[in-house]
Amino acid sequence: MNFDQILSAVGGFGRFQKILYVWICIPQIPLAFHMMVSIFTGATPPHWCRDSPNVKSNSSDPGGEGSMSKTGTPSQNLSISLLFEHGETCGLFVNRSNSFSCSYGWEYSREIFHSTIVTEWDLVCDRASLNSVGSSIYMFGLLVGAAVFGAMADRYGRRFCLLLCLAVQAVFGVSAAFAPNFPVYVLLRFVLGTSISGVIINAFVLGTEWTCTQRRMLAGIFTDYFFGLGYMLLAGIAYLVRDWRQLQLAISAPGFIFIFYIWLVPHSARWLLVNDRREEALSLLRKVAKVNGRSFPTAAQVERCDVAGEGKDQHSAIDLLKTSEMRRRSLILFYLWFVNVLVYYGLSHGISSLGVDLYLTQFIFGLVEIPARSLVLLVLPWSRRIPQSFFMAVGGVACLLTLAVPAGKPQVVTALALVGKFGITASFAVIYIYSAELFPTVIRQTGIGMASMFARSGGVLAPLINMLREPTPTVPMIIFGCAPLLGAALALALPETANQPLPDNIQDIQEPSGRISPSHSPSEGQQLQHLASDS
């Protein structure tokens, strides 16, 4: 009797698992806060050169009559442009050919933001790129965290790493609100990013290891709804709290509530068995059976319990490239993961450049995640390959269409960006499931781990690509449009996995007929279709 059979006997998705998923879903809300807060804390408001302290001026009204710049010229010669169009706010212009740098710093509009990291540390003009670099370093933290806390979880347990990452998230999130300077702020955010990855990975794995195969996909997608909820809630919090330090504190301080998870979150029984902590695992399984109202298997059956995967040959990342078919699947999936994260965060963090209400746009961009993920649940039972290609194509085409919109119509650009966000969010939901079915069981975790690293690389590049908007506004959308279109074409080169058995070994995907032995486990497509008919 293997572990999955025992789990089914005690209840694969009973009251115990439903309560567990409540505890797993709640941290997804602050995760969304931290992932998206830089849209507000790192915003660049309209700004202009500060006049010489030796000259009387009305800096709050730089265009007013009689105010003078440090050059002695009327400051109405000073150009003040709109948000994210501040190419002429880096100097004082006496005429078209002569200008002077802002030697005395800048004044910032407080109409929308009371303060941001940009206004506090003057991240404008020749220092504007530091803002995007800081965001990239934060995303690099997610990449590092995926490697560090993923390996740590295998050694010390999913529960320990989840609790540790929640604590680090709270401590460093609050600490970032008191950062004395920009380098310290970036360092604190980097560590915060590592903890975000640790929470994502270990919450997902802990939930998966306690859930029966038939319900894992549905439960996994359900947790994503809470990320979308956090996305929307952030818009309201940021609207009420306009100071960046107070906002950072408001989204981070509630994280200390998770200290109660010490008494609420269980170990993974599967991990306990793998690490020879059999008595603890069986005690926990008896508790699960009691909570779920099920009977515990007999002692003889439990004594023969083994964990799937024990005693099998070890595989490594090299196996992802060993055969031609495995290499083709792996490289295409790596690219799809990279593009999904690149465009997802590129669009999400670029909404401030759309020229419409920032708070309303943030809310709508979060709201669109709910129908996108719901649509995925409806179409996945019938196909994986077609939805993957279609949703990526929708995201790419929508981004390219924004380039055709005449100037002065930000609402149209925003609507198209919203369609792009819908497409890439749906594609993001599909790629998790599609990848799990394309990688054989023996290297499935390794394959998804490698794909996740490529995905985080896309997250690192997204802020840097948005930075290109300054000299060439069309470049980011060209990249965010063309990259998914290429991905849509490559996705069509992958095999269909809906209603097909999952491959267990690399040899299973090398068979010329493309068929897998019917003795293998049923596909999750069949499970999803069964779930849809039950609901």
Side-chain angles (χ1 to χ4, degrees), residues 255-528:
F256 287 103
I257 296 175
F258 292 121
I259 190 173
F260 293 106
Y261 273 36
I262 294 174
W263 298 279
L264 296 175
V265 175
H267 278 289
S268 164
R270 187 187 296 265
W271 179 84
L272 290 172
L273 283 171
V274 169
N275 287 271
D276 296 324
R277 294 166 63 175
R278 190 180 186 87
E279 289 305 316
E280 291 179 69
L282 296 181
S283 174
L284 197 51
L285 286 166
R286 288 189 183 94
K287 177 184 175 182
V288 174
K290 182 178 180 181
V291 172
N292 289 342
R294 306 287 287 272
S295 58
F296 194 70
T298 64
Q301 291 174 316
V302 172
E303 280 300 316
R304 295 194 299 271
C305 173
D306 66 324
V307 180
E310 287 186 324
K312 293 185 178 179
D313 294 335
Q314 295 297 311
H315 293 268
S316 67
I318 300 299
D319 293 303
L320 295 169
L321 304 174
K322 269 189 174 179
T323 67
S324 59
E325 177 61 20
M326 196 68 253
R327 187 162 52 245
R328 183 171 68 91
R329 292 189 182 195
S330 299
L331 294 177
I332 291 176
L333 286 173
F334 293 163
Y335 179 78
L336 296 185
W337 278 74
F338 170 81
V339 169
N340 271 279
V341 173
L342 174 73
V343 180
Y344 181 89
Y345 287 109
L347 290 177
S348 297
H349 289 170
I351 64 173
S352 49
S353 64
L354 297 176
V356 294
D357 186 285
L358 184 61
Y359 301 97
L360 178 61
T361 307
Q362 169 74 8
F363 178 83
I364 296 175
F365 266 51
L367 182 63
V368 77
E369 299 219 351
I370 295 176
R373 299 185 191 281
S374 299
L375 181 59
V376 167
L377 284 176
L378 293 177
V379 301
L380 276 187
W382 315 108
S383 176
R384 307 287 199 270
R385 185 170 63 102
I386 300 303
Q388 182 70 72
S389 179
F390 175 76
F391 288 133
M392 292 196 80
V394 168
V397 170
C399 289
L400 291 178
L401 286 177
T402 61
L403 303 175
V405 178
K409 294 188 176 181
Q411 291 82 3
V412 178
V413 174
T414 302
L416 289 171
L418 187 63
V419 173
K421 177 68 159 45
F422 178 93
I424 213 67
T425 298
S427 171
F428 210 168
V430 174
I431 193 64
Y432 272 96
I433 299 159
Y434 200 16
S435 299
E437 296 178 341
L438 285 169
F439 288 123
T441 302
V442 293
I443 53 171
R444 183 167 294 129
Q445 194 63 37
T446 301
I448 293 177
M450 289 296 297
S452 181
M453 290 187 65
F454 278 88
R456 297 307 173 194
S457 300
V460 171
L461 288 178
L464 301 179
I465 291 175
N466 274 329
M467 189 171 65
L468 300 176
R469 200 181 302 273
E470 286 298 320
T472 49
T474 61
V475 168
M477 279 304 187
I478 291 176
I479 295 174
F480 297 151
C482 293
L485 288 179
L486 175 58
L490 290 174
L492 294 176
L494 293 171
E496 181 60 76
T497 60
N499 303 312
Q500 297 294 321
L502 297 178
D504 284 334
N505 304 299
I506 296 177
Q507 291 78 9
D508 289 339
I509 65 171
Q510 295 300 121
E511 295 182 13
S513 64
R515 294 181 178 273
I516 301 169
S517 170
S519 63
H520 295 315
S521 58
S523 76
E524 293 195 24
Q526 293 169 327
Q527 296 158 5
L528 252 188

